Amino acid sequence: MSFDPERAAIRFGCGLSPRIAPPDSAEAMLSQLTGRDRAAEAFPVPGFQAAVAHYVAVRAARKALRATKTEADREAKLKARKKAERAMSDDGSRWFASTMLRRALTEDGFRERLVAFWSDHFTAFEQGGPLRFSHVTYTEEAIRPHVAGRFADLLRASATHPVMLRYLDQSRSAGPNSQAAERREKIGGLNENLAREMLELHTLGVEGPYTQTDVRQLAELLTGLSYSMKAGFKFRPGLAEPGAETVLSVEYGGNKARLEDIYAAFEDLARHPATARHIARKLAVHFVSDRPDEALVDAMAARYAETDGNLPEVYAAMLEHPAAWADQPGNIKQPVDFVGSGLRALDIVPRAMPSEKYGQMRRMFFTPL
């Protein structure tokens, strides 16, 4: 089979629209992807500091409420707390609306699908509290700018973002022989969450060629990755385990903890043949079929290896392959994809999504059952 515009819009985009033409070639899809991000410009979402501002305001309002001494003061502080929480929720709803409007109105549906794919691949979110909408800002900062770049850069951006560091409890992970441990500071000890996710899910895959020793060594190497609310990502050498660590038979670092050694490990993990295969298969499964043609996966993995993980080249290998355009039905749409396609098919425009309904929509689509 060869390129088909309608199948391209449905299988690789956000669905058909009565007034937005489907792409006319795979080359056009790739050209849009590497060009100007018009949907993000039209429907903006801020970065992590916008979520931090709400975090600070809500925490301050809650603290002030707890400190009240009179009923009149309590009434005023309660109103202030509700106002801060409402502002946070309203902004979270607007950010959500922007993501849905992008799906409904973009001319570059492949980009929106890739942003969603990579956001799921590098899952990170806040369970609740004043930062519960920060996952939207994480996607905007760590994922979206890198979907048309190198996989190694995407890996690095996601692993060092405050939302990921909070989600996997990495920011307090400290080596057993670190300066912080020697001073008996209040720390969390060594945490293997990020190291395990990175090997098992982000790079090599569940059946990848790593052992528990590799997980432990990578966890020690990653100590020091942290953040501050004000500055964002921050490397804290005092938390880092001294000495060299060996991951997949490669030694990194020495006596002095350096961020550059962690980045070198990211590069090597991104270049590993198992990573090429894992990423190729996962993309093929997401876009084409739960059981993709092995020749398609082979072609994508080979292109990944040939181009040092240049993602547009991997996407091109997928779109060029006949198996990507097979007649048989592909995967069933995920709920968010189905909703996005519905909005697009109905030609929903901003005026048909009134702001007072954003919160209701967000709760409907994202509140766990």
Side-chain angles (χ1 to χ4, degrees), residues 77-114:
K77 294 298 190 295
L78 182 59
K79 287 182 179 179
R81 190 204 71 183
K82 289 181 178 179
K83 181 179 180 181
E85 291 175 342
R86 186 167 55 253
M88 173 189 66
S89 183
D90 287 349
D91 265 359
S93 297
R94 278 189 286 270
W95 303 341
F96 157 72
S98 286
T99 65
M100 297 308 295
L101 285 167
R102 290 172 181 180
R103 286 174 176 261
L105 299 171
T106 186
E107 296 182 0
D108 183 8
F110 191 36
R111 187 196 302 265
E112 299 307 319
R113 288 286 304 282
L114 286 166

Side-chain angles (χ1 to χ4, degrees), residues 26-42:
E27 291 77 12
M29 294 169 65
L30 295 167
S31 178
Q32 284 182 318
L33 178 63
T34 55
R36 186 172 167 184
D37 191 349
R38 297 181 184 276
E41 293 173 6

